[in-house]
Amino acid sequence: MRRLLFAAAVALTALGLGQSARAETRTPQSFRFQSLFGTYNKASLQVGFAVYQADCASCHGLSLVHYRDLAHLGLSPQDIAAIVSHIKVQKGVDPAGKPVLAPAMARDAFKSPFPDEAAAEKKFHGAIPPDLSLIERGHRDGADFVFSLLMGYRAAPPNVTMPPHHFYNIAYPGGLIAMAPPLKPGSVTLADGKKPDVQAMAHDVAEFLAWTADPTLDQRKAVGLRIIIFLLILGALGGFAIRAGRRT
Ligand code: HEC
């Protein structure tokens, strides 16, 4: 018994230490898609994509997403054609070995901002902006993490010495991140001409990155709902059949 108590005490201490070692603080957010039957909000996804293009795409790729996938956000083939017509991607090399650039096609994957990791690492003094396609799968409650990170920049407390090229962020494990606050107020304009504030931009880009990490969530939930309705009807019919059987 004593040994058991000792083991429990060790486990509790370890848990406690784990808790205090984690410097991150999250700002809770509610996303409709996190509820049982909630789906993505297409308007949010579209704004989130615009925020990604304006404020993230210069450093982070989305290599698992293709331009044609934007149709799931409610963009028309014409909208997608207009977007890709402005994006130049490398299509092979010319006889002299120089890269040939041409407008992207809808079937192309999103363009990566750096030719390779070494180029990115050089620009960011050793840090690498990771590909964001699956970033929200890599963190517990990924959308909350990305939202909290974007809203988590603060002035460093006096007892923290800041290494060069780093910023203080209460949502990042360890508190120091090599990414400057990326959201620029006013970088995105909505269809009605208004500009979303930074908090709304953080929310929508976090939802957009939830979609890139889990694009089939809506379909799965729709199927789940249909199965539940089917089972309810089946159950009701079964009940009627049993009652009818008893009466005869
Ligand atoms: C100027 C370049 C730059 C821009 C623009 C930028 N980032 Fe970053 N980002 C970085 C770098 C560099 C890191 C790596 C930080 C580190 O290792 O300390 C990073 C890290 C991150 C991480 C943490 C990844 C992890 O799991 O540790 C997330 C999430 C992220 N960025 C999201 C975004 C989003 C969303 C945007 C747009 C709103 C954005 N970034 C814009 C450079 C950038």
Side-chain angles (χ1 to χ4, degrees):
M1 182 66 187
R2 215 184 257 172
R3 207 184 275 169
L4 233 172
L5 278 179
F6 177 70
V10 169
L12 279 179
T13 323
L15 269 178
L17 282 180
Q19 217 60 41
S20 61
R22 209 192 311 127
E24 48 176 295
T25 315
R26 300 244 181 143
T27 325
Q29 259 298 290
S30 71
F31 291 93
R32 193 177 72 183
F33 69 87
Q34 287 170 334
S35 66
L36 191 56
F37 293 116
T39 49
Y40 293 125
N41 175 338
K42 286 208 166 133
S44 278
L45 291 180
Q46 289 189 16
V47 176
F49 163 65
V51 172
Y52 165 79
Q53 285 289 83
D55 289 348
C56 319
S58 60
C59 296
H60 294 278
L62 275 180
S63 59
L64 297 183
V65 186
H66 296 78
Y67 293 111
R68 62 169 175 232
D69 300 336
L70 293 172
H72 295 292
L73 274 50
L75 297 188
S76 68
Q78 291 79 0
D79 297 332
I80 297 174
I83 289 167
V84 292
S85 70
H86 297 293
I87 297 168
K88 293 262 189 304
V89 292
Q90 185 180 341
K91 301 264 164 158
V93 286
D94 68 8
K98 274 206 195 142
V100 177
L101 295 181
M105 314 266 264
R107 63 165 184 268
D108 287 333
F110 271 48
K111 184 185 176 179
S112 286
F114 298 103
D116 50 42
E117 280 203 344
E121 211 172 355
K122 200 164 155 223
K123 179 151 186 216
F124 295 104
H125 316 277
I128 296 176
D131 188 277
L132 292 182
S133 316
L134 297 180
I135 202 76
E136 293 198 2
R137 283 205 207 166
H139 292 272
R140 181 174 47 92
D141 298 328
D144 279 331
F145 167 72
V146 169
F147 175 83
S148 307
L149 183 70
L150 295 173
M151 300 303 294
Y153 289 94
R154 302 281 186 279
N159 59 341
V160 174
T161 352
M162 291 300 293
H165 316 296
H166 278 76
F167 303 84
Y168 190 74
N169 190 309
I170 54 167
Y172 199 60
L176 304 174
I177 187 164
M179 166 168 78
L183 290 175
K184 313 268 176 300
S187 63
V188 166
T189 309
L190 305 179
D192 61 5
K194 290 199 185 120
K195 296 194 184 283
D197 61 17
V198 166
Q199 181 161 342
M201 290 165 82
H203 177 280
D204 289 354
V205 80
E207 178 147 350
F208 172 69
L209 293 175
W211 172 76
T212 66
D214 188 3
T216 58
L217 172 133
D218 282 359
Q219 287 96 304
R220 279 202 321 274
K221 286 195 176 170
V223 171
L225 190 62
R226 264 185 242 138
I227 290 177
I228 287 176
I229 293 173
F230 171 76
L231 288 177
L232 285 176
I233 294 174
L234 200 68
L237 284 178
F240 283 135
I242 289 172
R243 269 201 214 157
R246 274 204 203 123
R247 254 187 245 134
T248 53

